[in-house]
Amino acid sequence: MQPQGRGAGVPLNDALSAIGRAHREEWARVVASLARRFGDLDIAEESSAEAFAIAVERWPVDGVPPNPGAWLTMTAGRRAIDRLRRESKRENKHREAGLVIDADPHEPLGAIDDDRLRLIFTCAHPALAMEARVALTLRMVGGLSAGEIARAFLVTESTLGQRITRAKAKIRAAGIPYRVPAAHDLPARVSGVLAVLFLVFNEGYLATGRESDPMRPALTAEAIRLTRLVRVLLPDDGEVAGLLALMLLTEARAPGRISASGELVPLQEQDRGAWHPALITEGHSLVRERLASGVAPGRYQLLAAINAVHTSARDFRDTDWSQVLALYDQLVRLDPSPVVALNRAIAVAELDGPEVALAELEDLEPALAGYHPFHASRAELLRRLHRSSDAAVAYQRAIDLAGNTAEVAHLTRRRRQLRPA
Amino acid sequence: MQYLFSVIHDEIELATAEEAAAIDVFNERIQTEGYWVFAGGLTAPDAATVVDNRRDQALVTDGPFLESKEYLAGFWIIEAPDLDVALALAGDASKACNRKVEVRAFR
């Protein structure tokens, strides 16, 4: 017979799964509240990590505390104070040069006064390089380890560690505030945060590196989780809702997107039955919510609406292309970039035929010569016009430029299947 | 915190009358708002003189220390609570003087 458990001890698996849950749900809150209390991201990060390590020791023995978040924040706070006592020199230093500990009183924060939001805005600050913003956001807000982030972006752990250290040093030295931006700055700053999250999502959805798996569901899941968090914190922001909808409607199609042989499957060949119905339902409902708001949509909302049209069609041929084109026309007005013009031209091909679309592409060539989707799209149009040898050249250009292994496999097959002219 | 706004420019022309007027308006504003510490425009870099007295005798050379396309045309020193405030001011400064502005905090 097993001896009876003593005290409040719980089975190890229960304790570990409680810690895993607390890590997902409470990490950002613990780091954010410590960062505000101690005015230093280093101390916040290290003490939070220590608190979780202590939980791994204590919870299986003492039991899972009734309020894990409060326990972790309190434990991390004690570790931070111990650390500051031990390194009292450092305390002086951080008082001199540290973050602005409290928000400026002249800026009312209202409903969005949440430490996690301050943390997100600090990590995604426009004065930091994009790669530093991504690393810092995933570490400080997402709770990913330096090793996990390094693997995701194909850099060594020490490079990634330096990137984070340098970013934290700049935050201190340059006086980047720990604060939700003022109302007039908010739209631009939110869009900076969303750019970070969208980059993480895209890197998971279609990895750019040849060394990487073609799709990394852990990264798309993390991007969605963080975007959900931003939506909780900024529920009235249309672009936050738009980005979440865009991610959900894109992620919904993941199950049909890579073939058994590891090739990327284009939209027209995907098994729509394999798509994720719950994600589509949620994405559509967000798009409807934004439409009902009557507020002019931003970039992410328009992209989400385009994806809603695609995910509403039972079949590729049922796609409402005139709706897709109307949405791209709106998007071009907001964002007249050549990449948007390229995607618009793909919709034009479905409505007005490949010849018209190809003419539009020719104008984009100078700007997009190094962008593999341009050559892949051009190759598809040339194929439809039976210009096989031109198509073969365009496929080859796309293959040379593409990094994603599944995409390269798909393009290689398409080129092989060209009929001789 | 105090920040240095370095005005970075790649042409020798000094500020036009219009730019100078816009700079005056900006300066008056940041004085009123309490951000002003000091500011000044500099003469062209070819009027610079470099002094090096790290060894026994001061060595005086004509011309700028570095021959570079971009040079420091002027600067502001401002007092601001944090980088966000400094960056907003730097945006207005850049618009007023019609040149790029580099923002660095003093230690």
Side-chain angles (χ1 to χ4, degrees):
Chain A
M1 261 192 40
Q2 293 289 316
Q4 285 280 301
R6 281 188 300 132
V10 290
L12 186 61
N13 280 344
D14 291 0
L16 292 181
S17 76
I19 290 164
R21 194 164 52 245
H23 195 264
R24 279 192 304 280
E25 291 169 5
E26 306 290 350
W27 168 269
R29 211 191 299 268
V30 176
V31 174
S33 83
L34 261 74
R36 182 147 79 103
R37 192 167 149 205
F38 297 99
D40 188 294
L41 290 182
D42 263 332
I43 290 174
E45 180 196 347
E46 285 162 18
S47 311
S48 302
E50 281 175 28
F52 278 90
I54 296 168
V56 172
E57 279 171 31
R58 299 309 317 165
W59 293 9
V61 182
D62 300 344
V64 177
N67 184 342
W71 187 96
L72 288 160
T73 306
M74 196 181 67
T75 306
R78 283 191 190 139
R79 302 301 294 193
I81 289 165
D82 287 350
R83 184 182 292 267
L84 288 171
R85 278 197 190 123
R86 277 199 311 271
E87 310 167 27
S88 60
K89 259 191 258 165
R90 182 169 173 181
E91 186 184 17
N92 296 334
K93 236 188 251 169
H94 103 261
R95 279 207 183 128
E96 279 167 26
L99 302 163
V100 174
I101 291 182
D102 263 314
D104 252 353
H106 66 263
E107 276 160 302
L109 292 164
I112 54 174
D113 185 10
D114 185 300
D115 285 338
R116 288 172 300 177
L117 206 50
R118 296 165 197 259
L119 185 63
I120 289 166
F121 280 115
T122 302
C123 292
H125 197 278
L128 301 171
M130 194 59 178
E131 56 184 24
R133 288 190 235 171
V134 168
L136 208 54
T137 302
L138 289 175
R139 174 71 193 124
M140 305 300 285
V141 187
L144 269 62
S145 71
E148 286 173 305
I149 305 166
R151 278 191 295 283
F153 291 93
L154 306 174
V155 295
T156 64
E157 202 171 324
S158 79
T159 301
L160 199 280
Q162 281 165 13
R163 201 174 280 176
I164 291 178
T165 305
R166 213 180 301 134
K168 285 192 289 201
K170 173 156 187 186
I171 289 172
R172 258 194 307 273
I176 290 179
Y178 194 59
R179 186 179 66 197
V180 174
H184 61 271
D185 280 341
L186 203 56
R189 293 288 305 278
V190 170
S191 113
V193 170
L194 299 183
V196 169
L197 299 176
F198 197 35
L199 188 150
V200 173
F201 182 85
N202 283 331
E203 197 46 47
Y205 193 65
L206 190 68
T208 46
R210 283 179 193 265
E211 315 297 313
S212 163
D213 286 346
M215 282 173 50
R216 273 94 53 90
L219 273 187
T220 52
E222 184 60 24
I224 290 173
R225 191 176 77 88
L226 291 176
T227 308
R228 285 189 191 283
L229 171 62
V230 176
R231 175 152 164 82
V232 168
L233 300 171
L234 296 170
D236 300 327
D237 190 295
E239 282 292 85
V240 175
L243 180 61
L244 180 57
L246 172 59
M247 287 179 178
L248 294 171
L249 294 174
T250 311
E251 181 79 351
R253 305 198 305 256
R257 206 155 154 273
I258 304 269
S259 72
S261 59
E263 263 181 48
L264 196 71
V265 183
L267 189 57
Q268 55 266 48
E269 292 169 23
Q270 286 180 17
D271 171 12
R272 296 186 175 221
W275 289 357
H276 213 302
L279 296 180
I280 292 177
T281 306
E282 191 187 352
H284 285 185
S285 117
L286 283 165
V287 171
R288 274 196 302 274
E289 179 192 312
R290 291 315 306 159
L291 283 173
S293 78
V295 180
R299 176 167 169 260
Y300 293 118
Q301 291 166 77
L302 287 170
L303 287 169
I306 290 164
N307 277 275
V309 176
H310 286 303
T311 45
S312 300
R314 272 170 309 160
D315 195 272
F316 185 74
R317 279 160 304 184
D318 290 340
T319 308
D320 184 348
W321 289 105
S322 56
Q323 182 68 32
V324 171
L325 188 61
L327 290 163
Y328 272 118
D329 284 338
Q330 279 194 67
L331 189 56
V332 166
R333 283 196 289 276
L334 283 183
D335 177 6
S337 72
V339 170
V340 173
L342 170 66
N343 290 320
R344 184 186 170 278
I346 295 166
V348 167
E350 300 303 325
L351 279 173
D352 301 330
E355 205 139 5
V356 182
L358 192 63
E360 295 197 2
L361 251 60
E362 300 307 328
D363 296 339
L364 301 172
E365 166 104 54
L368 296 179
Y371 184 63
H372 78 269
F374 169 81
H375 298 284
S377 308
R378 190 161 169 274
E380 290 298 322
L381 295 174
L382 290 166
R383 161 198 295 274
R384 284 161 68 175
L385 294 166
H386 309 293
R387 291 169 55 184
S388 292
S389 55
D390 293 338
V393 173
Y395 278 124
Q396 189 55 51
R397 189 87 192 98
I399 291 164
D400 293 343
L401 290 167
N404 186 282
T405 50
E407 201 169 11
V408 169
H410 164 70
L411 291 167
T412 306
R413 181 174 60 84
R414 293 295 278 175
R415 188 194 51 188
R416 203 171 50 234
Q417 289 173 343
L418 282 170
R419 293 208 187 86
Chain B
M1 292 177 75
Q2 289 194 338
Y3 291 89
L4 173 69
F5 291 1
S6 305
V7 178
I8 310 291
H9 199 48
D10 55 9
E11 280 164 50
I12 297 301
E13 285 87 48
L14 299 177
T16 64
E18 238 171 73
E19 287 161 359
I23 292 168
D24 286 345
V25 171
F26 174 71
N27 283 342
E28 272 168 43
R29 193 198 104 199
I30 62 172
Q31 280 165 359
T32 315
E33 291 172 346
Y35 298 118
W36 165 281
V37 177
F38 191 71
L42 299 175
T43 51
D46 55 12
T49 311
V50 177
V51 181
D52 186 352
N53 195 15
R54 289 172 299 179
R55 299 213 164 73
D56 293 340
Q57 203 178 355
L59 190 66
V60 176
T61 8
D62 173 38
F65 172 62
L66 275 177
E67 289 290 348
S68 76
K69 202 169 136 47
E70 297 196 318
Y71 70 96
L72 181 71
F75 64 91
W76 278 273
I77 296 170
I78 62 123
E79 175 74 46
D82 60 53
L83 187 68
D84 283 0
V85 176
L87 291 180
L89 290 169
D92 295 339
S94 164
K95 184 155 280 202
C97 70
N98 193 29
R99 279 151 179 75
K100 283 189 291 184
V101 171
E102 182 198 88
V103 178
R104 280 168 77 180
F106 283 89
R107 286 204 287 183

